[in-house]
Amino acid sequence: MKEEFNILNQIKKENPDTGFSVPDHYFDSFDDQMMSLIESKKISTGKKVVMILKPWLSLAAIFTLITLVYYVSPISKTNNQIADASFTTEVSLEYLSPSFDEYELIDIIIDNENNAIFDNINSDPNLLEGLTYEDIEDIVIF
Amino acid sequence: MAYQKINDIELVELFKSKDSQQKAFKILMQKYKERLYWHIRKIVLTHEDADDVLQNTFVKIWQNLDSFQGNSALYTWIYRIATNESLTLLKKKKKNSAYPIDGEVNKLESQLKSDPYFEGTEIQIQLQKAISTLPEKQKIIFNMKYFDDLKYGEIAEILETSVGSLKASYHHAAKKIEAYLKNTLVNK
């Protein structure tokens, strides 16, 4: 240490430590306490890499997984949701088909005033001229 | 003791094996707990806080040691965790503290005098007060150099900074402390 730090040099000479102390046997019992803590809280080694890198990345992954499960799993769909689906312009036949027979499906689609396909047919009455009921079914469904 | 014969690289390898994980961790604690405790204690000052931070430090070590890459020495990695944990605690405490900075310095004297785990002299209290006026990083650098006698190279590795800036920081910190103590001793 340089000459200019006289007071600090003097203090260090007379009091080499900080003056802090610990409770008796603190260090003797520390290891056991620490191991008990790790065991009681079941703290595992090797954190998940994603959690270390970016916590938000793991959150995004969880959200994506929930979304996938919601939209892909047929189990998650209730009858109400299937009924609601019939009132959207993009009717999913895959969802509807197990619940209705072919004729009921056609009725649902034709009855729906918001249906884009039906709107086109309805706006041009001549289009339906000469078509059988089966032909209309083919136009609407396929 | 047996653990003194095991070097840090062997210790990490021992920890990576499930069968010897606990044994390796106990050896690591025996080797580093006291040094880490005193390093932490000088930053957070009270025994209760130092104990909390030391436990958090070892929890972090337990969680991450098997992914330790060995890019730096084990003890610098451990010291870095302890330093960061200490600073995190100080930040939390500052957030919750109603005292302004000047108030903290004055509060420190009564806090140390009533602390059952502080046995320092009057000049050691004044020294702690002087250190507490430094910015956190300067405080840590000063403690590591003045009390622990660590080399600048070691401190630089722990704090991930250059030796040049460390020397400047230490010199600056020591100068401020000298001025504080001179002023205090003259007025007493």
Side-chain angles (χ1 to χ4, degrees):
Chain A
M1 200 174 289
K2 285 181 182 175
E3 187 70 17
E4 60 187 295
F5 303 136
N6 293 329
I7 304 172
L8 280 171
N9 284 337
Q10 190 62 29
I11 294 172
K12 197 170 184 181
K13 209 172 158 186
E14 290 168 10
N15 309 275
D17 59 9
T18 52
F20 293 121
S21 64
V22 291
D24 291 341
H25 312 296
Y26 171 70
F27 290 119
D28 300 335
S29 58
F30 182 82
D31 301 7
D32 291 337
Q33 279 180 10
M34 199 62 223
M35 290 316 298
S36 309
L37 177 81
I38 286 168
E39 279 163 21
S40 68
K41 290 195 173 178
K42 294 190 171 86
I43 300 164
S44 59
T45 58
K47 267 183 159 182
K48 298 274 179 293
V49 176
V50 172
M51 290 302 283
I52 296 166
L53 292 175
K54 300 271 178 202
W56 59 264
L57 200 61
S58 56
L59 277 176
I62 291 166
F63 180 75
T64 308
L65 187 69
I66 291 167
T67 310
L68 277 173
V69 167
Y70 181 80
Y71 283 106
V72 172
S73 169
I75 300 162
S76 65
K77 293 288 169 189
T78 63
N79 285 338
N80 284 341
Q81 285 171 307
I82 293 167
D84 287 341
S86 68
F87 295 102
T88 63
T89 52
E90 290 174 17
V91 178
S92 170
L93 296 178
E94 274 179 44
Y95 283 122
L96 293 172
S97 54
S99 308
F100 304 97
D101 65 29
E102 196 177 341
Y103 293 102
E104 285 172 323
L105 263 177
I106 294 161
D107 287 341
I108 290 168
I109 295 166
I110 293 177
D111 285 347
N112 181 7
E113 289 181 0
N114 294 323
N115 186 278
I117 302 168
F118 187 73
D119 284 350
N120 285 339
I121 295 169
N122 206 29
S123 63
D124 187 1
N126 297 328
L127 197 71
L128 298 174
E129 214 173 296
L131 293 177
T132 64
Y133 190 66
E134 282 74 25
D135 290 336
I136 295 170
E137 280 176 25
D138 288 343
I139 293 167
V140 171
I141 299 173
F142 304 106
Chain B
M1 288 178 94
Y3 71 81
Q4 287 169 328
K5 291 174 189 165
I6 299 174
N7 68 37
D8 286 347
I9 296 164
E10 290 168 336
L11 202 55
V12 174
E13 286 308 311
L14 205 62
F15 185 83
K16 283 178 182 173
S17 164
K18 284 274 173 202
D19 297 336
S20 52
Q21 201 164 54
Q22 290 212 359
K23 186 187 165 196
F25 195 67
K26 280 181 183 171
I27 294 169
L28 188 131
M29 282 195 287
Q30 285 168 23
K31 198 169 178 180
Y32 288 108
K33 67 185 169 192
E34 287 199 41
R35 273 193 272 175
L36 283 181
Y37 175 86
W38 292 118
H39 172 65
I40 294 164
R41 180 75 185 269
K42 284 191 284 272
I43 303 171
V44 300
L45 301 178
T46 70
H47 168 71
E48 288 73 22
D49 286 346
D51 183 41
D52 281 350
V53 174
L54 187 63
Q55 285 184 29
N56 291 343
T57 302
F58 276 114
V59 166
K60 287 265 162 76
I61 295 169
W62 171 265
Q63 287 175 319
N64 296 294
L65 189 60
D66 60 358
S67 56
F68 174 70
Q69 298 293 311
N71 295 330
S72 60
L74 182 65
Y75 85 92
T76 57
W77 181 74
I78 289 174
Y79 258 76
R80 203 177 301 143
I81 295 172
T83 307
N84 289 337
E85 286 297 312
S86 306
L87 291 175
T88 303
L89 181 119
L90 288 184
K91 262 186 204 167
K92 271 187 204 164
K93 287 191 94 176
K94 252 182 201 165
K95 242 184 188 178
N96 300 328
S97 173
Y99 291 91
I101 294 167
D102 288 347
E104 288 288 342
V105 176
N106 293 326
K107 200 180 124 195
L108 181 62
E109 184 165 353
S110 59
Q111 187 188 306
L112 288 173
K113 280 180 177 169
S114 62
D115 187 343
Y117 305 116
F118 181 78
E119 295 159 359
T121 60
E122 183 58 34
I123 193 72
Q124 282 174 313
I125 291 174
Q126 295 310 319
L127 178 57
Q128 284 304 324
K129 280 175 73 177
I131 295 169
S132 76
T133 64
L134 300 173
E136 293 305 343
K137 201 177 171 188
Q138 265 186 32
K139 198 189 290 183
I140 292 166
I141 293 165
F142 180 81
N143 284 334
M144 289 170 110
K145 187 73 195 147
Y146 181 78
F147 291 112
D148 301 343
D149 283 321
L150 288 178
K151 292 180 179 127
Y152 281 118
E154 292 171 322
I155 303 171
E157 211 179 319
I158 293 163
L159 301 179
E160 294 178 302
T161 188
S162 71
V163 170
S165 76
L166 274 181
K167 283 183 179 174
S169 282
Y170 178 74
H171 186 82
H172 201 57
K175 234 174 142 178
K176 274 198 250 179
I177 291 172
E178 277 274 332
Y180 183 97
L181 291 173
K182 232 176 237 173
N183 190 38
T184 307
L185 297 174
V186 166
N187 291 332
K188 283 239 165 183

